[in-house]
Amino acid sequence: MIAVSKGQPVEAIVSLLDAGQRDFGENRVSEALLKWPALKERYPDIRLHLIGQLQTNKVKDALSLFDVIHTVDRESLADVLVKTRSRECGTALKFFIQVNTGEESQKGGVRPDALPGLMQYTQPLLSITGLMCIPPAGDPPAPHFALLRTLAEKYNLSHLSMGMSGDYETALRLGATHVRIGTAIFGERNPKAEI
Ligand SMILES: *Cc1c(COP(=O)(O)O)cnc(C)c1O
């Protein structure tokens, strides 16, 4: 379980850390940079997951802070990740490809029909270990989770990042290995704390 701490105060994060939680997710690099470097010093075994869109100008910061990046969705981003990682001295990062299962124009992720090309391009470059999706709001999530699982099986990927507070039970039933839970753990977010 990834505890999604965007928009949450540091005190709430610390109580979860003290209870033993070690996987946390943030969707903005800039917000994560304000909170996590100090926490990582205090709790060195934290695993930090980037679950939001990654702009190429934030790649250097993202690689310095995050352990797993769930949102690889285009060749140009893979190129910058590889180039930056080799320059910054290669840490063992894991990557998921985000699939836009609802084919929504405003959402990140590669469309399912473009996934084969992106897999072929990225697999020799980055260690792609799984797929991630965010079903469209208002759609029943199960068909999206089932599609993601089918795609992951096709490429022998063992990890499925799917399911949030409202639909994690469905996601688990359909094989999720990483659920991303925010409000169900922390309560409502403060939108002003999201940068
Ligand atoms: C915010 C967010 C979550 C957590 O959402 P909740 O509904 O608060 O559980 C999960 N995944 C992504 C990509 C998010 O941006």
Side-chain angles (χ1 to χ4, degrees):
M1 187 200 72
I2 299 168
V4 176
S5 49
K6 66 185 182 199
Q8 303 293 349
V10 169
E11 310 83 74
I13 298 173
V14 167
S15 29
L16 214 53
L17 280 161
D18 288 338
Q21 175 70 21
R22 284 298 176 268
D23 287 88
F24 288 84
E26 291 282 346
N27 71 338
R28 299 219 168 113
V29 175
S30 49
E31 182 184 350
L33 272 176
L34 294 179
K35 294 195 285 198
W36 285 99
L39 289 170
K40 278 195 139 184
E41 247 169 64
R42 267 171 78 190
Y43 302 87
D45 55 342
I46 285 171
R47 281 178 302 268
L48 205 55
H49 301 254
L50 180 63
I51 60 172
Q53 287 304 103
L54 179 54
Q55 256 102 50
T56 48
N57 63 350
K58 299 276 172 64
V59 161
K60 187 166 178 256
D61 286 335
L63 286 174
S64 72
L65 194 58
F66 288 93
D67 302 285
V68 186
I69 292 177
H70 290 235
T71 50
V72 177
D73 62 359
R74 55 200 192 276
E75 293 182 4
S76 57
L77 175 58
D79 285 340
V80 177
L81 283 166
V82 171
K83 221 182 297 163
T84 311
R85 187 173 58 169
S86 56
R87 215 177 324 124
E88 302 295 314
C89 89
T91 47
L93 263 177
K94 286 187 184 148
F95 299 91
F96 288 60
I97 287 183
Q98 182 180 356
V99 184
N100 190 343
T101 56
E103 310 203 10
E104 297 171 282
S105 56
Q106 81 284 10
K107 209 171 257 176
V110 61
R111 287 173 181 248
D113 63 357
L115 179 64
L118 186 61
M119 279 301 298
Q120 199 177 15
Y121 188 83
T122 49
Q123 247 177 341
L125 301 176
L126 298 168
S127 97
I128 304 289
T129 63
L131 300 179
M132 178 273 216
C133 77
I134 310 168
D139 256 24
H144 296 276
F145 296 154
L147 171 61
L148 199 69
R149 178 181 175 160
T150 304
L151 293 170
E153 280 167 358
K154 186 166 158 204
Y155 294 102
N156 262 326
L157 300 171
S158 49
H159 292 140
L160 284 170
S161 168
M162 57 191 200
M164 317 191 342
S165 293
D167 55 17
Y168 68 91
E169 284 166 324
T170 307
L172 286 169
R173 195 156 38 74
L174 290 164
T177 59
H178 294 61
V179 290
R180 310 178 306 264
I181 313 290
T183 47
I185 300 177
F186 286 106
E188 288 307 312
R189 283 181 275 280
N190 172 7
K192 292 209 194 79
E194 288 181 53
I195 294 145

